[in-house]
Amino acid sequence: MNAIGLVAFALVGSAKAIRAEFDLFGVTVVGLVTAFAGGATRDVLVGRVPLALQNVGEVALGLLGVCLAVVLYAWLEAPDDRPITLYADAIGLAAFATAGAIVAIEIGLPAFGVVAIATINAVGGGAFADLLLDRSPFILFEDFYASCAVLGGSAYWLFTALAADATLAAAACATVTVGTRVLALSRGWTVPTAQRLEAVTGE
Amino acid sequence: MNAIGLVAFALVGSAKAIRAEFDLFGVTVVGLVTAFAGGATRDVLVGRVPLALQNVGEVALGLLGVCLAVVLYAWLEAPDDRPITLYADAIGLAAFATAGAIVAIEIGLPAFGVVAIATINAVGGGAFADLLLDRSPFILFEDFYASCAVLGGSAYWLFTALAADATLAAAACATVTVGTRVLALSRGWTVPTAQRLEAVTGE
Amino acid sequence: MNAIGLVAFALVGSAKAIRAEFDLFGVTVVGLVTAFAGGATRDVLVGRVPLALQNVGEVALGLLGVCLAVVLYAWLEAPDDRPITLYADAIGLAAFATAGAIVAIEIGLPAFGVVAIATINAVGGGAFADLLLDRSPFILFEDFYASCAVLGGSAYWLFTALAADATLAAAACATVTVGTRVLALSRGWTVPTAQRLEAVTGE
């Protein structure tokens, strides 16, 4: 799952950078940032040297995603908008949220810390990539995307608090994240704005 | 003071995100970033796991500020622009600058490090929130805001260098920061640009 | 070389901030970020307290660059676009890439980590400054700039892998970085976009 996620995230990030007409260095940076900046932020927050700097295999998977984006760009309008990419991305979201929750529990963080690190691990890379592309992170105003990682991280914490073993908690986190993400994709879920909330509750 | 600051900073950040029509996830993230990213950056720079990930009470205060922004938004045009918010924000600025200066002295940094960490602790959250909103941090080109933290951090360092005890240094830092900020608000102070400086000195 | 780089980087960053009409606090921040944020990011990634917070002499050099930008702005249209600034900047690029590669080898990172840290050390400050100026980092879509640091970092790793001593590896890194940068400047090199690559290879 982690491998699928790294390739999918790098492909999605690189495709965005190609569309913004970044050069191939920029395309590679945005792709690798999308795949690795969430995990690197997690590592920095918990005081570790980012794994991505040390793990040649993971970097190779990220570079594979970058190459796929460049090659597919010649054939498809938007390789990052195909169903297969969206589902691979959902798998990555689940894998990265779970990886974050595991590390957060390991260092003894409480509920908020677990959910925060799971979410940052899952969506921090994409958010940072959007900043490099000079736009607000899309997770903050559209789609139902980061919320899946919030729910997954909450599930991990809940199962741990109920003394479930770590494998079961990880399975719950991954299932909730990927499950809510697939539902969000197929049903077009969004998170309401304060404006809409007030229009609904106020009158 | 720290509690007032957390609520005020989260309220100010969330109100900006509501106005930018972010969804409620985005509003919560921008509010919490405004309240906690300065302190988290301080902790990362000095090699600690951010307190905000570990302290449930502080996060609750941040979430209170987010809720206040959402609720008040229905009643007021700009809850972040009311005098009470501006003064609560000034208190937060002073509390966070002081917290930063204390940590910087603890790990033995010289004058520049103390002023830098005090300023980052006080204004880093708001600056990061502006980046998420796809704009330049307002502290870099308008108002007299971050400069108050610079002056407060300098006061902390000066009192420490003069062998004053830590409580006195903290009181001096907080007083200078909140005092200059209240003066800046009431008198409309700004920091000159290079262009204005040269217009004044050159001719 | 490091000293030349700090002054040149701070001058270039401050000149950009002056042109964006930031106030003098903002000009100072953008200048110091350009000079120090790359090295600070390197230090945070490898788990050290940033040197810039501890080293008064380095900060003084950065502030000298900021002052130069403010003073020269009154006399020259664009002090950051003069040949002497461009060459001083190239020397800084080489010094910072080498400093990054040395630290990365010290903590035992493999090839990708060495190149990544060398590049972040060399261009991270300028990239962060562009984010503060609300634009995409220029290194991602124009010029042949960060690529020089990539080549320099690769040279450092290669010489180390071939069991050359550290002084020789550092000399190779600095020579490759500054050499390719000077060539890029004089010949107008750029990195191709995916679009151009496909126009060339596809037909």
Side-chain angles (χ1 to χ4, degrees), chain C:
Chain C
M1 276 181 73
N2 196 48
I4 294 171
L6 289 171
V7 176
F9 274 39
L11 189 159
V12 168
S14 293
K16 284 193 212 177
I18 292 172
R19 223 168 305 139
E21 305 205 10
F22 279 17
D23 64 32
L24 289 177
F25 173 78
V27 168
T28 307
V29 168
V30 176
L32 295 182
V33 159
T34 308
F36 296 112
T41 305
R42 172 203 68 200
D43 288 331
V44 165
L45 288 173
V46 306
R48 299 182 182 172
V49 177
L51 267 181
L53 295 171
Q54 308 175 58
N55 190 320
V56 178
E58 294 217 333
V59 173
L61 288 167
L63 290 172
L64 173 64
V66 173
C67 293
L68 273 177
V70 172
V71 171
L72 291 176
Y73 184 83
W75 300 91
L76 301 169
E77 297 253 320
D80 51 332
D81 215 31
R82 300 268 140 176
I84 186 171
T85 313
L86 291 170
Y87 288 113
D89 186 86
I91 290 172
L93 195 70
F96 291 5
T98 309
I102 290 171
V103 170
I105 288 284
E106 268 175 23
I107 66 160
L109 293 181
F112 175 78
V114 174
V115 175
I117 296 284
T119 307
I120 289 169
N121 199 151
V123 304
F128 190 15
D130 282 336
L131 292 182
L132 294 177
L133 291 156
D134 194 23
R135 54 180 79 150
S136 285
F138 79 93
I139 54 165
L140 301 178
F141 57 89
E142 63 181 30
D143 212 336
F144 188 95
Y145 186 87
S147 304
C148 305
V150 171
L151 295 173
S154 305
Y156 194 99
W157 177 80
L158 194 69
F159 273 72
T160 308
L162 297 172
D165 74 52
T167 315
L168 191 61
C173 175
T175 308
V176 168
T177 306
V178 82
T180 51
R181 180 65 191 137
V182 168
L183 276 172
L185 277 171
S186 61
R187 311 228 169 153
W189 285 358
T190 59
V191 181
T193 60
Q195 285 84 347
R196 215 176 88 197
L197 190 74
E198 274 148 22
V200 170
T201 60
E203 284 163 75

Side-chain angles (χ1 to χ4, degrees), chain B residues 52-143:
Chain B
L53 294 173
Q54 308 175 56
N55 189 320
V56 178
E58 294 217 333
V59 173
L61 289 167
L63 290 172
L64 174 62
V66 173
C67 293
L68 273 176
V70 172
V71 171
L72 291 176
Y73 183 82
W75 300 90
L76 303 169
E77 297 252 319
D80 52 332
D81 215 29
R82 301 267 140 178
I84 185 171
T85 311
L86 291 171
Y87 289 114
D89 186 84
I91 291 172
L93 195 69
F96 292 4
T98 309
I102 290 171
V103 170
I105 289 284
E106 268 175 24
I107 66 162
L109 293 182
F112 175 78
V114 174
V115 174
I117 295 283
T119 307
I120 289 169
N121 198 152
V123 305
F128 189 15
D130 282 337
L131 293 182
L132 294 177
L133 290 155
D134 194 23
R135 55 181 78 150
S136 285
F138 78 94
I139 53 164
L140 300 178
F141 57 88
E142 64 180 29
D143 212 337

Side-chain angles (χ1 to χ4, degrees), chain A residues 10 14 25 32 35 37 40 46 68 71 84 87 93 97 108-109 117 126-127 130 132-133 145 158 164 173-175 193:
Chain A
S14 294
F25 174 77
L32 295 182
V46 305
L68 273 175
V71 171
I84 186 169
Y87 288 113
L93 195 69
L109 294 182
I117 295 284
D130 282 337
L132 294 177
L133 290 155
Y145 186 88
L158 194 70
C173 176
T175 307
T193 59

Side-chain angles (χ1 to χ4, degrees), chain A residues 5-120:
Chain A
L6 288 171
V7 176
F9 274 38
L11 189 158
V12 168
S14 294
K16 284 193 211 175
I18 292 172
R19 224 169 305 140
E21 306 205 9
F22 279 18
D23 65 31
L24 289 176
F25 174 77
V27 168
T28 306
V29 168
V30 176
L32 295 182
V33 159
T34 308
F36 296 112
T41 305
R42 173 203 67 202
D43 288 331
V44 165
L45 288 173
V46 305
R48 300 183 181 170
V49 176
L51 266 179
L53 293 172
Q54 308 175 57
N55 190 320
V56 178
E58 293 216 334
V59 173
L61 288 166
L63 291 173
L64 173 63
V66 173
C67 293
L68 273 175
V70 173
V71 171
L72 290 176
Y73 183 82
W75 301 90
L76 302 169
E77 297 253 318
D80 52 332
D81 214 32
R82 299 270 140 176
I84 186 169
T85 312
L86 291 171
Y87 288 113
D89 185 86
I91 291 172
L93 195 69
F96 290 5
T98 308
I102 290 171
V103 170
I105 288 285
E106 269 175 22
I107 66 161
L109 294 182
F112 176 77
V114 174
V115 174
I117 295 284
T119 307
I120 288 168

Side-chain angles (χ1 to χ4, degrees), chain A residues 130-154:
Chain A
D130 282 337
L131 292 182
L132 294 177
L133 290 155
D134 194 22
R135 55 179 79 151
S136 286
F138 78 94
I139 54 163
L140 300 178
F141 58 89
E142 63 180 31
D143 212 335
F144 188 95
Y145 186 88
S147 304
C148 305
V150 171
L151 295 172
S154 305

